[in-house]
Amino acid sequence: MTPGMIGAIVILVLTLTVMGTGYYAYRRIKKKITQFSLEALGTSNLLKGLQNVEKENEITPKSVAAATSLYLPNIMRDFPDFHYDEMKRRAENVLISFLRSVDEKDESRLTEGTSELKSKLKLRIDMLRDAGRTEHFLNIRIHRTEISAYRKAKGRCSIIFQTSVQYNYWLEENGQVKDGARDKLHQSRYDVELIYIQDRDVVENVADSGLAMNCPNCGAPLPKLGAKKCAYCDSPVMEFNIRTWNFSDVQEKA
């Protein structure tokens, strides 16, 4: 056997060894992937499993921080005339109208809100126009809305409604879809903030939407938000102040 033949045999053996080792490693990796897919996705086909997960995420509503039963008694104690069902409906309408306003680039579609919320909406629409983009929100459907937080500070009362919502969403630029998909559902959740203010005209022109809660007659601090009269001079509060609930923010939550 010539040296050339010996060299060829050695190279062949080494090649077969490498191929055998590679095939063995491939089989082990494939087995592990199949096992993972079965355990995590319920199918031995990883691609099919990932497609099933994507489809499941598309149709499964987002959960919300449901703390209504915790906060509503405190809200009703502070505001006996608070109508939960009405405020919940208004919060959902504000969310839907906000999304439709963005979709149509029409600020007037927003049903209600403070100047802060309207400015936020206008800024978003202006940025889309400047970039030549359009955000589409179609077939909007509300799944669930709950109170997730209730805060009081410096005379400012805030209730956060958290809503689980679905829609068809896509971001379009020059006729091309840059994000999302026209034919797929998107599940999300939003916080809609409801605030309680004393003087709407004044509050909408200051950065802080809260005012000090004082009697307009004697200046004494009111004992609680929603007080009907001063505990010191017995003066009625409602006659001197415009009091209202209004929506100040809409924010998507991860």
Side-chain angles (χ1 to χ4, degrees):
M1 186 177 293
T2 65
M5 293 177 63
I6 295 174
I9 292 173
V10 170
I11 292 174
L12 179 60
V13 171
L14 290 175
T15 301
L16 292 174
T17 301
V18 171
M19 290 177 62
T21 303
Y23 179 73
Y24 176 73
Y26 162 77
R27 294 289 298 178
R28 288 193 62 186
I29 293 172
K30 183 179 179 182
K31 183 178 180 181
K32 289 183 177 181
I33 291 175
T34 301
Q35 184 177 358
F36 168 80
S37 183
L38 279 170
E39 294 176 355
L41 306 176
T43 176
S44 60
N45 188 319
L46 180 60
L47 179 59
K48 183 178 179 181
L50 293 174
Q51 290 173 340
N52 290 341
V53 170
E54 183 180 1
K55 186 63 179 179
E56 189 71 18
N57 290 336
E58 184 182 342
I59 63 176
T60 303
K62 293 280 189 179
S63 61
V64 297
T68 303
S69 60
L70 174 65
Y71 291 119
L72 189 55
N74 296 335
I75 295 171
M76 295 305 300
R77 183 175 62 249
D78 293 337
F79 302 96
D81 297 328
F82 183 83
H83 298 287
Y84 169 69
D85 290 335
E86 176 189 349
M87 291 301 181
K88 175 181 172 181
R89 176 185 56 80
R90 285 173 59 186
E92 292 174 345
N93 288 340
V94 165
L95 173 57
I96 292 173
S97 66
F98 184 92
L99 296 177
R100 286 177 175 167
S101 295
V102 174
D103 178 273
E104 300 175 18
K105 296 180 182 176
D106 182 2
E107 301 157 39
S108 67
R109 291 299 303 270
L110 184 65
T111 54
E112 59 177 310
T114 63
S115 61
E116 180 184 4
L117 178 58
K118 292 174 183 177
S119 295
K120 178 178 180 177
L121 174 61
K122 183 179 185 304
L123 178 61
R124 183 165 174 175
I125 292 174
D126 288 345
M127 290 177 65
L128 287 169
R129 284 200 182 104
D130 293 342
R133 293 184 165 192
T134 301
E135 281 190 289
H136 291 287
F137 298 89
L138 298 182
N139 304 315
I140 301 171
R141 178 186 173 189
I142 299 293
H143 290 300
R144 183 182 182 186
T145 299
E146 297 282 351
I147 294 175
S148 64
Y150 175 49
R151 309 183 186 103
K152 293 187 293 182
K154 298 180 180 179
R156 183 181 189 272
C157 176
S158 172
I159 298 174
I160 305 296
F161 286 95
Q162 191 166 103
T163 296
S164 173
V165 61
Q166 76 175 34
Y167 40 69
N168 293 94
Y169 171 83
W170 69 96
L171 175 65
E172 188 174 337
E173 181 179 345
N174 300 322
Q176 299 295 319
V177 175
K178 296 297 183 180
D179 189 24
R182 293 186 177 95
D183 59 347
K184 290 185 178 180
L185 288 175
H186 179 80
Q187 302 290 339
S188 188
R189 57 178 160 246
Y190 284 79
D191 279 352
V192 179
E193 183 178 28
L194 176 68
I195 60 172
Y196 182 75
I197 54 182
Q198 277 186 291
D199 188 330
R200 183 173 181 176
D201 292 333
V202 173
V203 168
E204 288 190 342
N205 288 283
V206 296
D208 184 2
S209 295
L211 294 176
M213 299 292 288
N214 298 97
C215 173
N217 183 49
C218 70
L222 297 178
K224 64 177 182 177
L225 290 167
K228 301 295 184 181
K229 62 181 181 179
C230 176
Y232 296 91
C233 69
D234 210 35
S235 297
V237 176
M238 293 296 290
E239 292 182 4
F240 295 95
N241 294 282
I242 300 172
R243 294 183 164 211
T244 184
W245 291 95
N246 207 352
F247 294 92
S248 65
D249 195 21
V250 173
Q251 183 175 357
E252 186 173 15
K253 305 299 290 183

